[in-house]
Amino acid sequence: MARQQTTPEQHSVRLLKVGEQVRHIISEILTRQQVHDATLSAHTVSVTEVRMTPDLRQAGVYVKSLLGEDEEAVLKALRTHTAFFQREVAQRLKLKFAAKIQFRPDETFEEASRIDALLNDPRVKRDLEEAARDDDTED
């Protein structure tokens, strides 16, 4: 039987769907405190995103502790229990291969704050206002 061809768009959608399922599973495990770890029990951890590789063999799991407290300790605790998370995800998803999970800090909030600070810089505001005035005079 011939192998069914998939378009890049279908492949991308599958990656997003599987990544979202992995995110939900890990979030549920953390919410229900199924991992017996004092650090994880003491902190609220948010799983912000999961990025799957095209072969679905690796999952980059981006996490953020509430208010950014003790991020290194939380990451260390998550990484300590990686095997448990991998086993749970594999059992619940029933995929052909179990994804290798890599916990990473989510730095998008810091990046957004940095961009916001740049946009609020008086010099940038001045340049933006000048550009807006120039656009108005060209019309």
Side-chain angles (χ1 to χ4, degrees), residues 8-105:
E9 293 82 14
Q10 291 170 329
H11 192 69
S12 177
V13 169
R14 180 154 191 253
L15 291 177
L16 292 172
K17 284 182 178 179
V18 172
E20 192 63 15
Q21 289 174 329
V22 171
R23 187 181 75 79
H24 280 281
I25 290 169
I26 293 174
S27 294
E28 182 180 323
I29 291 169
L30 291 170
T31 301
R32 293 184 177 180
Q33 296 185 352
Q34 293 174 330
V35 180
H36 303 292
D37 187 281
T39 305
L40 295 177
S41 296
H43 293 85
T44 302
V45 181
S46 177
V47 181
T48 57
E49 182 181 9
V50 174
R51 292 184 190 161
M52 302 297 297
T53 57
D55 61 0
L56 300 176
R57 299 242 182 153
Q58 294 187 13
V61 179
Y62 293 86
V63 295
K64 182 82 172 165
S65 63
L66 186 66
L67 303 175
E69 294 176 352
D70 302 326
E71 281 193 21
E72 287 303 316
V74 169
L75 273 173
K76 184 178 178 187
L78 288 168
R79 289 174 179 157
T80 301
H81 298 287
T82 300
F84 172 77
F85 285 106
Q86 287 176 181
R87 187 172 54 253
E88 287 295 314
V89 168
Q91 286 175 353
R92 295 181 192 190
L93 280 184
K94 295 180 176 74
L95 291 175
K96 187 174 183 178
F97 299 103
K100 183 176 186 289
I101 294 174
Q102 297 173 344
F103 289 102
R104 300 177 181 149

